Amino acid sequence: MSRLTIAIQYPGLGPQHPPRLQAIVDHCPYEASRVVAMEMYGKDSDYEWDPIEVDGISYERHTVVSGSSEQGRRSGSALKKAVWSSLDEISPDVLIVNGWGHRESQHSLTWARRHKCPTVLLSDSVKGNMKRVWWKEAYKKYLVRNCQSAFVAGTPQARYVAQLGIPEEKVFQPGSCSIDNDYWEAASAKARAGQEQLRNDYDLPEKYFLCVARFIDCKNLPFLLDSYAQYCRESDEPWGLVLCGSGELEASLRQQADRLQLRDVRFVGFRQVGDLPIYYGLASGFVLASSVIECWGLVVNEAMACGLPVLVSNQVGSAEDLVVDGVNGFRFDPFLSSDLSQKMQILTEDDELAEQMGTESRRMIDAHSCDVAAQNLWGAVSAARAA
């Protein structure tokens, strides 16, 4: 088959991106093709990831703006010039553009329309995670009208882009939110093998619920602490709670934990990918309590790949696809503390059930691997070219 250049855009490259990109290269159906990862900014300001350096990569890495996304999005016409110049240099046969909301995406969509470049919309947005107004939805439809196909995270994301005008048969999922499942499984298993020493070194309880999240409003962490306090009052042998993360709410969350007299809550700070499998591997369960604006929740993938039962808010975008009540965990109402506390109690009281759910999590997440995602991406590329 003929040579093809595709450009796939991300705000910044994080630890989840190299395995995704390698899988895209590995599953490419076109001979001698070129895959360009467009890192729109040198740093995605939303995250504290260490810089990503990958040796021996088989895709190209192109950084559009060397600064942070926070700075770049305020740069006005300079951003447009940088995006268009990069696209002129790469000259993609197919452009995979990251959503529609940020300025770099809108500039990319305009470039693609002017150059008649087939375009795939990459999206993890869902409709129900915030109040939508008609004129903004109309503008989104205008922006994506020339996207010939879409590559999305899962079922609710597919519904949304279809409502924005992309035909259902040209929407490919699951895919845009995948991780290297094998890495997380192997690294967490290694942690469990050395758990006696690691629990002591990291000051971790024998059994605990783990939450990995930024300490910001939408993650609903005050609710989580209230629910955990209720669970502790009702449980004879409550598990601990370990919070991995950092952010603007940390001081108030620590004060809340002190006020509630929660002795078994650990604040361990932000942790890089090299450390996180230890916390997942030694945990007994995982919880994500987000209330709004959680389009997917990649930490749910990580917890499942590490073989944990998962308790996930019904407002999290991945819950519909990744959580089957009573099978690999439970969904809960993120505004009703008794709902979460009762589901924590179910796992605490039945070790066998918790273990079975963890096994199911690991089995189920294979349907969302980087390999599956890559195959769906190439399906979207083919659909865009055909259109």
Side-chain angles (χ1 to χ4, degrees):
M1 301 183 74
S2 60
R3 176 181 170 85
L4 185 76
T5 295
I6 69 164
I8 180 166
Q9 298 181 339
Y10 302 104
L13 291 187
Q16 72 274 28
H17 292 117
R20 292 178 188 175
L21 289 160
Q22 188 58 54
I24 290 169
V25 172
D26 291 343
H27 290 276
C28 177
Y30 302 93
E31 293 181 3
S33 292
R34 178 180 173 222
V35 175
V36 182
M38 289 185 70
E39 182 179 33
M40 306 308 287
Y41 304 99
K43 177 176 174 53
D44 186 342
S45 301
D46 288 338
Y47 301 97
E48 299 178 58
W49 297 318
D50 285 339
I52 298 299
E53 300 294 339
V54 182
D55 296 327
I57 57 176
S58 51
Y59 53 88
E60 295 179 31
R61 180 176 179 178
H62 182 105
T63 304
V64 176
V65 176
S66 60
S68 71
S69 58
E70 184 178 14
Q71 296 169 331
R73 287 169 183 152
R74 294 199 303 260
S75 63
S77 60
L79 176 61
K80 176 181 175 181
K81 182 178 179 180
V83 171
W84 284 21
S85 176
S86 291
L87 287 168
D88 286 341
E89 178 183 341
I90 296 167
S91 188
D93 297 302
V94 178
L95 175 63
I96 300 140
V97 65
N98 185 36
W100 52 75
H102 293 304
R103 289 183 177 181
E104 65 269 18
S105 299
Q106 294 169 17
H107 294 323
S108 298
L109 288 166
T110 302
W111 182 93
R113 184 167 63 251
R114 291 190 174 192
H115 289 78
K116 296 182 172 59
C117 178
T119 306
V120 177
L121 177 67
L122 186 157
S123 177
D124 62 2
S125 292
V126 293
K127 185 173 185 178
N129 68 332
M130 64 177 70
K131 184 178 180 180
R132 305 289 183 181
V133 294
W134 71 268
W135 63 268
K136 287 186 178 181
E137 298 305 287
Y139 181 55
K140 290 174 189 176
K141 290 181 180 180
Y142 170 79
L143 286 174
V144 306
R145 72 194 188 282
N146 286 328
C147 293
Q148 289 75 38
S149 65
F151 173 60
V152 301
T155 303
Q157 293 80 10
R159 282 197 300 268
Y160 190 27
V161 297
Q163 290 170 16
L164 293 176
I166 297 179
E168 291 184 7
E169 68 273 14
K170 294 181 180 178
V171 179
F172 293 79
Q173 61 93 12
S176 65
C177 291
S178 60
I179 62 169
D180 184 349
N181 294 332
D182 293 339
Y183 164 78
W184 291 94
E185 180 182 27
S188 60
K190 181 179 178 181
R192 282 190 286 270
Q195 62 178 297
E196 184 175 347
Q197 183 64 46
L198 288 172
R199 285 191 197 279
N200 182 63
D201 292 345
Y202 285 78
D203 187 28
L204 294 172
E206 185 66 26
K207 287 183 172 290
Y208 61 88
F209 292 102
L210 175 68
C211 176
V212 180
R214 289 178 288 160
F215 291 179
I216 56 178
D217 285 336
C218 66
K219 300 300 182 178
N220 207 22
L221 296 174
F223 165 87
L224 173 56
L225 290 178
D226 284 339
S227 302
Y228 178 71
Q230 182 173 338
Y231 153 76
C232 288
R233 291 192 296 269
E234 297 168 353
S235 178
D236 293 332
E237 297 183 20
W239 294 354
L241 175 63
V242 174
L243 299 174
C244 279
S246 61
E248 61 197 37
L249 299 182
E250 182 169 352
S252 63
L253 291 169
R254 287 180 177 274
Q255 291 169 4
Q256 181 184 359
D258 289 340
R259 187 172 64 253
L260 293 170
Q261 299 182 330
L262 299 176
R263 293 183 298 274
D264 285 329
V265 174
R266 309 281 205 281
F267 291 86
V268 300
F270 178 83
R271 298 290 171 167
Q272 298 289 345
V273 168
D275 261 352
L276 274 176
I278 294 172
Y279 292 93
Y280 283 115
L282 304 189
S284 301
F286 178 81
V287 58
L288 184 63
S290 305
S291 55
V292 291
I293 320 179
E294 185 76 39
C295 291
W296 183 257
L298 207 63
V299 290
V300 180
N301 298 57
E302 293 170 0
M304 290 174 64
C306 293
L308 292 179
V310 291
L311 304 178
V312 181
S313 158
N314 60 24
Q315 296 298 302
V316 173
S318 63
E320 181 175 340
D321 286 328
L322 297 187
V323 186
V324 179
D325 279 330
V327 176
N328 72 316
F330 296 100
R331 301 181 220 176
F332 62 86
D333 184 338
F335 305 101
L336 184 63
S337 290
S338 60
D339 190 16
L340 175 54
S341 65
Q342 288 169 6
K343 282 159 183 172
M344 286 178 159
Q345 187 72 11
I346 291 172
L347 293 184
T348 303
E349 292 177 344
D350 194 335
D351 287 341
E352 184 176 349
L353 175 64
E355 185 176 346
Q356 289 173 353
M357 286 182 168
T359 300
E360 281 300 303
S361 280
R362 182 61 191 89
R363 182 190 64 80
M364 291 166 59
I365 201 61
D366 279 339
H368 292 259
S369 69
C370 291
D371 290 328
V372 171
Q375 291 166 10
N376 285 327
L377 175 74
W378 286 112
V381 167
S382 296
R385 296 187 76 209

